[in-house]
Amino acid sequence: MICMRRGASPGAAARQPKSPALFLSGFLLALPLLALGDSQQTPTIGVWPTLRPHFYGTRSISEEGDALMNVEAPGSTPDPSATPVTIHFGEGLAATLKQVRVIIDNNPSPLVATFDMSPTLPVDQIDLRVRIDRFTSVRAIAETTDGHLEMRSTWVNASGGCSTPPSASSGGTLGEIRFRPSAGGKVLQVSIRHPNNSGFQIDPRTGDAIAPHFISHITLRAGEKTVLAADTGISISENPTLRIAARTPLPAPLTVEATDVPTQARYTATWNP
Amino acid sequence: MQNATQWGVLLLPLLAALDVATGATAGDNAATFGVDQTAPGIFVHIGKPVALDAPGHDDIANIGFVTGKRCIAVIDTGGSVKIGRELRAAIRQHSSLPVCYVITTHGHVDHVLGNAAFKDDGAHFVGHAMLPDALMRSRDLFLRDYAEDLDAPATPAQIIGPDETVPIGNEMTLDLGGRTLTLRAWPKAHTDSDLTVYDSQTHTLWTGDLLFIRRTPVLDGSVKGWLAAIDSLARMDARHVIPGHGPPTDKPAEALEPERRYLQLLLTAVHAQIARGDSLQQALREPDPPEKANWLLWDEAHRHNVARVYQELEWE
């Protein structure tokens, strides 16, 4: 009927969050057990404690206040192969953003994307679609131009990236770029037709892993000026989709350029409303 | 006979619900596993309307068998090797003929994991041409998340795909001796490996999961393909229909209507969301429509369907 299930392992009941607070206490209590547990079935503590010093050293990171910033994703993903993640930035943050990182703790490749922002394009919302491999925290860390760090996260329950078949729109012209503007030009969705193969998928005919082939870099340019640049990885879903929203109409024309690995092919298109 | 069948259909879900209410586990299936003869030589075990993470989750699909003069064809084997064995035992209570075919209607866990129970019977395993792909794609997931539904230790060899396949859009006939089954492989609809089985002798159509009755339909293929398949199914000369989930029916046109209405509603709603510029996140946030009241286990399926339809339509 459906391959996905919420709570796949026998210990599932213990990790079904009833409320964030309740869940957190259960999670902490379970830690010694988790360390010994089967890594295939038990949510591990995640890679954040390892990545934090690597990216941010010992700098303090604020985590207070939903109005300033928040991360939204379905608590239980309806499609593990394409889970929407939305990062909202409040007025106080949008204009001063320098960089935004998105991390999925328990994915095989936790670093989803790194966005370099520009004051020319004060974005107050970024939408992505990601693969969620298993029950995990999804977090975004924003760095402002004056070096301040803000982090917000949310929990997503998922199972296995599922066996959902390639979407009905799989295939098409590799690298075709579609623009879907809305809200009077203040919102723009950019979609790139690309399998974004992670290297973890199995070729059904041979049983071998499919070689990684994914979009590694996306830039948005207004004229000669780069207004947003993103390094992206294999946690981004098939047909990578980036949606940005601002308080004022986006600059136009806007040129998108995407690069994939390992072919280094470049795909480009210009939105000129 | 007709009345008895209808009572059986009504009672089984109630018994299943009782199982859950009393905390019974899959271990109690032996006492309750039963098959109904819905037409001469057509035997169906009705799956329980419980969630995929609830006790009894390995017994949610309709499975069964068809007897000819020479041999027997099994149609789907349930969501665990144990359920497959229950089915095999039920077959032995009705007939000593050999099982010559095990037909899999698609690659979802609740229909296929019982195949291993028939691996030593010398039967041919038959499925859609895309079924091997679907099973390979799901292999690691089945071994990881459904290990308890296989024999320990869970091994890839227990996930048994077809040795004979039906190409997309084609038909294949299987001779059971005095009875011929017609298998049809559908283009992408519920999944990308949907197969139906038609018995011309009793005009019985096994739809697999191309038809959900009462349980919320789950979309893993193409909403447009599924709606087209429903139109084709409605034109078939079927007097008895065995859906993938829900009670068998003798009124196929009526039984297909709620599913058609739901999928059409889904298609129209998501199309409108994309047209007005809603993101996938916004589409998933949309409140449930009143249609929810007509279906069981809505929360398990509906938002998944919205996500799949959104991705299907956005590149048109």
Side-chain angles (χ1 to χ4, degrees), chain A residues 1 41 78 159 165 180 243, chain B residues 108 110 144-145 277 304 308:
Chain A
M1 195 266 341
Q41 296 216 336
S159 172
R180 205 180 286 283
R243 197 171 196 267
Chain B
H108 278 161
D110 49 331
R144 185 181 85 182
D145 288 356
H304 169 84
R308 298 301 289 181

Side-chain angles (χ1 to χ4, degrees), chain B residues 73-195:
Chain B
V74 171
I75 302 172
D76 286 343
T77 55
S80 68
V81 182
K82 202 174 79 52
I83 290 296
R85 290 200 182 101
E86 306 264 18
L87 177 63
R88 195 170 176 279
I91 291 171
R92 285 296 152 250
Q93 288 180 355
H94 287 91
S95 169
S96 56
L97 290 172
V99 173
C100 47
Y101 298 105
V102 176
I103 302 164
T104 300
T105 62
H106 63 291
H108 278 161
V109 66
D110 49 331
H111 296 258
V112 72
L113 278 198
N115 280 8
F118 296 90
K119 69 175 186 301
D120 297 327
D121 288 342
H124 284 291
F125 288 83
V126 189
H128 188 287
M130 293 301 288
L131 182 61
D133 285 28
L135 293 177
M136 184 61 82
R137 219 168 32 223
S138 302
R139 187 187 60 184
D140 289 351
L141 180 83
F142 288 175
L143 293 176
R144 185 181 85 182
D145 288 356
Y146 295 89
E148 77 224 59
D149 299 324
L150 295 164
D151 286 336
T155 53
Q158 293 181 60
I159 301 167
I160 300 179
D163 49 68
E164 288 183 30
T165 61
V166 187
I168 297 176
N170 283 36
E171 292 187 343
M172 174 191 277
T173 55
L174 302 179
D175 179 13
L176 307 183
R179 188 194 286 266
T180 301
L181 298 181
T182 305
L183 278 48
R184 181 168 170 184
W186 295 75
K188 208 178 271 189
H190 162 64
T191 66
D192 59 358
S193 61
D194 300 313
L195 188 81

Side-chain angles (χ1 to χ4, degrees), chain B:
Chain B
M1 165 63 203
Q2 194 60 30
N3 278 340
T5 301
Q6 283 175 0
W7 277 111
V9 161
L10 286 172
L11 281 172
L12 273 165
L14 287 175
L15 289 172
L18 271 174
D19 267 358
V20 174
T22 54
T25 65
D28 296 321
N29 281 335
T32 59
F33 193 96
V35 291
D36 293 329
Q37 189 165 186
T38 59
I42 308 279
F43 295 86
V44 189
H45 169 76
I46 310 294
K48 300 168 182 176
V50 301
L52 205 51
D53 56 0
H57 70 266
D58 59 339
D59 188 16
I60 64 175
N62 294 341
I63 61 179
F65 57 97
V66 180
T67 58
K69 290 198 173 70
R70 184 175 63 84
C71 64
I72 291 170
V74 171
I75 302 172
D76 286 343
T77 55
S80 68
V81 182
K82 202 174 79 52
I83 290 296
R85 290 200 182 101
E86 306 264 18
L87 177 63
R88 195 170 176 279
I91 291 171
R92 285 296 152 250
Q93 288 180 355
H94 287 91
S95 169
S96 56
L97 290 172
V99 173
C100 47
Y101 298 105
V102 176
I103 302 164
T104 300
T105 62
H106 63 291
H108 278 161
V109 66
D110 49 331
H111 296 258
V112 72
L113 278 198
N115 280 8
F118 296 90
K119 69 175 186 301
D120 297 327
D121 288 342
H124 284 291
F125 288 83
V126 189
H128 188 287
M130 293 301 288
L131 182 61
D133 285 28
L135 293 177
M136 184 61 82
R137 219 168 32 223
S138 302
R139 187 187 60 184
D140 289 351
L141 180 83
F142 288 175
L143 293 176
R144 185 181 85 182
D145 288 356
Y146 295 89
E148 77 224 59
D149 299 324
L150 295 164
D151 286 336
T155 53
Q158 293 181 60
I159 301 167
I160 300 179
D163 49 68
E164 288 183 30
T165 61
V166 187
I168 297 176
N170 283 36
E171 292 187 343
M172 174 191 277
T173 55
L174 302 179
D175 179 13
L176 307 183
R179 188 194 286 266
T180 301
L181 298 181
T182 305
L183 278 48
R184 181 168 170 184
W186 295 75
K188 208 178 271 189
H190 162 64
T191 66
D192 59 358
S193 61
D194 300 313
L195 188 81
T196 54
V197 182
Y198 180 72
D199 169 52
S200 54
Q201 187 172 319
T202 60
H203 301 277
T204 297
L205 175 67
W206 298 69
T207 62
D209 279 4
L210 287 179
L211 176 58
F212 282 67
I213 297 178
R214 298 185 193 165
R215 188 177 186 121
T216 312
V218 174
L219 175 68
D220 263 347
S222 155
V223 67
K224 292 192 167 178
W226 200 345
L227 283 163
I230 287 171
D231 286 345
S232 298
L233 290 171
R235 287 194 297 270
M236 289 175 75
D237 178 25
R239 291 173 209 167
H240 309 286
V241 170
I242 297 158
H245 297 272
T249 173
D250 295 338
K251 298 190 170 91
E254 268 176 45
L256 284 162
E257 185 50 29
E259 181 178 87
R260 194 200 59 75
R261 184 185 64 228
Y262 170 71
L263 293 175
Q264 186 60 55
L265 186 141
L266 191 63
L267 175 64
T268 306
V270 175
H271 190 272
Q273 286 163 338
I274 291 175
R276 70 170 182 249
D278 283 2
S279 65
L280 174 58
Q281 188 88 270
Q282 288 167 320
L284 292 172
R285 252 195 250 128
E286 194 84 350
D288 288 319
E291 176 69 11
K292 177 177 180 175
N294 299 323
W295 297 98
L296 300 172
L297 296 162
W298 173 273
D299 292 338
E300 185 177 270
H302 178 66
R303 288 190 319 140
H304 169 84
N305 296 340
V306 169
R308 298 301 289 181
V309 173
Y310 190 102
Q311 292 168 80
E312 177 177 347
L313 298 184
E314 69 181 336
W315 284 96
E316 288 189 338

Side-chain angles (χ1 to χ4, degrees), chain A residues 131 169-176 191-197 212-216 236-240 258-263 265 267, chain B residues 315:
Chain A
R131 299 183 167 119
S169 62
S170 279
T173 309
L174 183 71
E176 177 190 350
S191 307
I192 305 162
R193 204 140 190 182
H194 199 286
N196 230 47
N197 287 332
H213 179 209
F214 60 94
I215 299 288
S216 60
I236 302 273
S237 303
E238 175 189 21
N239 298 332
T259 314
D260 78 9
V261 288
T263 69
Y267 313 105
Chain B
W315 284 96

